[in-house]
């Protein structure tokens, strides 16, 4: 980009309007389960992007308890397209926001508030960057077909949004850009080039109940069995392969004078590579079958059942993402800005689309403490915030990188 100083000054001048848009968005509660709030935010978003020439489509979620996904499209002069991805929902129920007085609050360089960082700041970043392209790289802006996609329920399990993205991203989509917050290494921003996959699971043990006084030897104790089984699950964690198992909840038994007939544990596991992920899944499933806790009198055996509840497959390190990252790296070098990359443990919509379209993540601004709403007087607990001064440099970088990407010869 030739006129970087000019674009930077323009972005600085647009920042108050961008923050005003962020404030409007943060003031709408869009907790995933707040269907009406999510839809209100979708409509506000469509309205604010409309002056840029975007047509809106609200797509019902596969889960009737969630609000609609949002798709905005602006057809370009060529058949090439770029997808920008964000989400509408946050993790904060309205009651929690009230209880913790968690709302829009600017203090110095920080703005606290639900979704400031995850991910309404990212949505505002999209708005800033597209406006910068329209004003300063109009050929690029007009040439591309822009597809903007917002998941209504990213913070929950929503595989239907992945299918929606795939339908909208054909063979000539140059990239799917996810506007989750950037990482940092000291002051160096980091983009996200890979994310762990995650499966959630449930293990149910069925033993045999018995009167704990009169027929104790007749019982096969499901809690004793589940205690042994969960030790085996926990032992599947292997940090050397970046594989983690978390045994997260446990339930079992009824009253104290019964040998318990049933016990249930639930949890998740995460891994970066498809191979480690698949092996982990196989190891977990192999625990199913007869257990090693028996009733003393007739050898009745506890039965172990293993279910995979949900799966979000890994987004492993891959060539297409690395190639896309190079456009940002080159732009950063040209602008004299530091930039690095990271592989992140948490999921995003990048997990749903990386194998269909080259995907890059972490394009949003910088902030911290996402998914936290509490604040303590001693400052040991601080809620989610976004850093105001991170918007302009990141918007400048994203704009320059998109110009580089759009100027690449077709094919
Ligand atoms: Zn997010």
């Amino acid at each position: 980009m030739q006129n970087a100083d000019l674009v930077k000054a323009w972005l600085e001048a647009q920042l108050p309007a961008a923050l005003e848009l962020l404030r409007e968005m943060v003031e709408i509660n869009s907790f995933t389960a707040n269907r009406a709030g999510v839809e209100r935010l979708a409509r506000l978003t469509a309205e604010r992007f409309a002056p840029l020439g975007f047509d809106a489509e609200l797509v019902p979620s596969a889960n009737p308890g969630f609000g609609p996904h949002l798709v905005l499209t602006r057809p370009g002069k060529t058949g090439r397209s770029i997808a920008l991805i964000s989400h509408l929902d946050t993790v904060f129920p309205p009651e929690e926001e009230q209880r913790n007085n968690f709302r829009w609050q600017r203090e110095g360089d920080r703005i606290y508030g639900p979704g400031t960082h995850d991910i309404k700041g990212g949505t505002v970043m999209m708005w800033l960057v597209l406006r910068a392209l329209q004003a300063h790289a109009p050929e690029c802006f007009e040439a591309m077909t822009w597809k903007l996609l917002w998941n209504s329920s990213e913070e929950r399990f929503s595989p239907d949004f992945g299918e929606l993205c795939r339908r909208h991203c054909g063979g000539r989509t140059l990239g799917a850009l996810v506007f989750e917050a950037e990482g940092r290494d000291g002051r160096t921003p980091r983009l996200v080039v890979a994310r762990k996959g995650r499966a959630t699971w449930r293990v149910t043990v069925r033993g045999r109940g018995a009167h704990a006084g009169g027929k104790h030897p007749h019982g096969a104790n499901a809690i004793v069995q589940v205690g042994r089984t969960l030790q085996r699950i926990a032992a599947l964690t292997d940090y050397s392969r970046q594989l983690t198992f978390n045994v997260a909840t446990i339930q079992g038994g009824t009253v104290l004078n019964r040998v318990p007939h049933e016990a249930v544990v639930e949890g998740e596991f995460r891994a970066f590579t498809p191979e480690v992920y698949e092996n982990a899944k196989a190891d977990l499933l192999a625990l199913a079958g007869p257990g090693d806790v028996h009733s003393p009198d007739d050898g009745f055996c506890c039965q172990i059942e293993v279910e995979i509840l949900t799966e979000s497959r890994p987004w492993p390190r891959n060539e297409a993402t690395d190639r896309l990252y190079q456009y940002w790296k080159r732009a950063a070098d040209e602008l004299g800005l530091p930039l690095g990359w990271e592989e992140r443990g948490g999921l995003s919509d990048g997990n749903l689309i990386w194998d269909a379209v080259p995907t890059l993540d972490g394009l949003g601004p910088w902030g911290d403490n996402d998914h936290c709403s509490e604040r303590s007087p001693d400052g040991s607990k601080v809620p989610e915030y976004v850093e105001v001064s991170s918007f302009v440099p990141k918007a400048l970088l994203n704009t320059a990188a998109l110009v580089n990407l759009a100027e690449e010869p077709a094919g």
Side-chain angles (χ1 to χ4, degrees):
M1 210 166 48
Q2 300 294 324
N3 47 357
D5 289 340
L6 197 74
V7 178
K8 189 172 175 214
W10 185 89
L11 285 167
E12 297 280 5
Q14 300 304 313
L15 189 59
L19 297 182
E20 181 52 26
L21 175 57
L22 181 57
R23 191 186 57 76
E24 278 188 285
M25 291 181 162
V26 168
E27 285 177 354
I28 296 175
N29 176 279
S30 61
F31 178 51
T32 318
N34 178 0
R35 217 173 164 280
V38 167
E39 179 160 347
R40 241 180 92 206
L41 179 63
R43 293 191 187 280
L44 174 81
T45 305
E47 222 171 274
R48 295 294 178 267
F49 280 78
L52 283 149
F54 282 94
D55 287 328
E57 189 193 350
L58 294 181
V59 182
S61 165
N63 183 331
F66 296 154
H69 307 300
L70 172 64
V71 182
L72 300 185
T73 308
R74 186 184 195 283
K77 290 184 176 148
T78 67
R80 306 161 88 205
S81 65
I82 295 175
L84 312 185
I85 295 171
S86 178
H87 59 87
L88 297 166
D89 60 330
T90 72
V91 297
F92 305 108
E95 312 79 61
E96 182 183 336
E97 291 181 8
Q98 263 166 18
R99 192 170 57 242
N100 293 335
N101 190 26
F102 183 42
R103 57 187 168 79
W104 176 271
Q105 222 168 340
R106 181 155 181 183
E107 283 174 26
D109 195 26
R110 291 181 178 183
I111 297 171
Y112 296 96
T116 46
H117 178 233
D118 184 14
I119 191 183
K120 294 171 181 179
T123 295
V124 167
M125 176 68 70
M126 286 161 59
W127 180 83
L128 256 182
V129 169
L130 289 166
R131 290 186 67 237
L133 287 168
Q134 186 187 38
H136 297 279
E139 321 74 45
C140 157
F141 184 69
E142 299 290 338
M144 280 302 140
T145 293
W146 299 95
K147 302 197 177 192
L148 318 183
L149 300 115
W150 280 267
N151 190 343
S152 67
S153 42
E154 192 269 350
E155 301 290 0
R156 303 284 184 88
F157 188 63
S158 54
D160 61 309
F161 181 72
E163 288 154 31
L164 180 70
C165 289
R166 283 162 189 270
R167 276 204 302 283
H168 279 274
C169 298
R172 301 190 73 195
T173 304
L174 304 182
L177 309 173
V178 185
F179 281 74
E180 293 285 352
E182 72 183 25
R184 283 277 171 101
D185 174 17
R187 295 296 299 172
T188 301
R190 287 169 152 188
L191 304 185
V192 179
V193 295
R195 286 181 180 267
K196 278 186 169 177
R198 170 180 186 251
T200 59
W201 48 262
R202 176 189 298 138
V203 171
T204 305
V205 171
R206 290 181 220 287
R208 187 165 68 189
H211 191 296
K215 286 190 76 176
H216 189 278
H218 193 65
N221 191 315
I223 291 181
V224 173
Q225 179 65 63
V226 97
R228 292 188 187 177
T229 305
L230 67 84
Q231 293 292 342
R232 291 176 190 133
I233 296 170
L236 293 173
T237 289
D238 182 351
Y239 295 125
S240 73
R241 292 190 299 153
Q242 295 178 297
L243 168 65
T244 56
F245 270 81
N246 187 37
V247 178
T249 68
I250 181 160
Q251 280 180 314
T254 53
V255 291
L256 304 193
N257 58 356
R258 296 174 69 187
V259 175
H261 67 283
E262 191 174 279
V264 180
V265 288
E266 292 184 359
E268 57 151 55
F269 72 82
R270 296 183 190 237
F272 270 121
T273 72
E275 193 199 352
V276 172
Y277 179 94
E278 291 303 334
N279 286 340
K281 188 173 152 186
D283 288 345
L284 180 66
L285 292 172
L287 295 172
D292 48 2
V293 170
H294 304 87
S295 65
D297 70 359
D298 63 352
F300 181 92
C301 182
C302 285
Q303 287 296 318
I304 302 163
E305 190 183 303
V306 182
E307 294 164 87
I308 301 292
L309 303 176
T310 64
E311 282 194 273
S312 303
R313 295 182 174 277
W315 165 15
R317 199 67 192 268
N318 68 91
E319 229 177 87
T321 292
D322 286 348
R323 225 178 299 124
L324 197 51
Y325 170 77
Q326 286 307 320
Y327 289 97
W328 268 255
K329 182 63 181 156
R330 181 151 61 91
D333 291 347
E334 285 162 6
L335 295 165
L337 297 171
L339 187 68
W341 52 262
E342 70 183 26
E343 300 174 3
R344 204 175 274 183
L347 301 171
S348 84
D349 288 320
N351 291 68
L352 302 176
I353 191 163
W354 72 273
D355 55 340
V357 184
T359 300
L360 189 63
D361 196 348
L363 299 173
W366 162 252
D368 209 349
N369 298 344
D370 40 332
H371 297 203
C372 303
S373 72
E374 292 177 282
R375 189 196 281 265
S376 61
D378 67 356
S380 61
K381 289 188 197 175
V382 171
E384 171 178 348
Y385 67 88
V386 72
E387 205 177 84
V388 173
S389 61
S390 70
F391 276 92
V392 168
K394 191 63 173 288
L396 183 64
L397 172 67
N398 286 333
T399 304
L402 280 167
V403 170
N404 288 349
L405 180 62
E407 279 176 353
E408 197 70 2

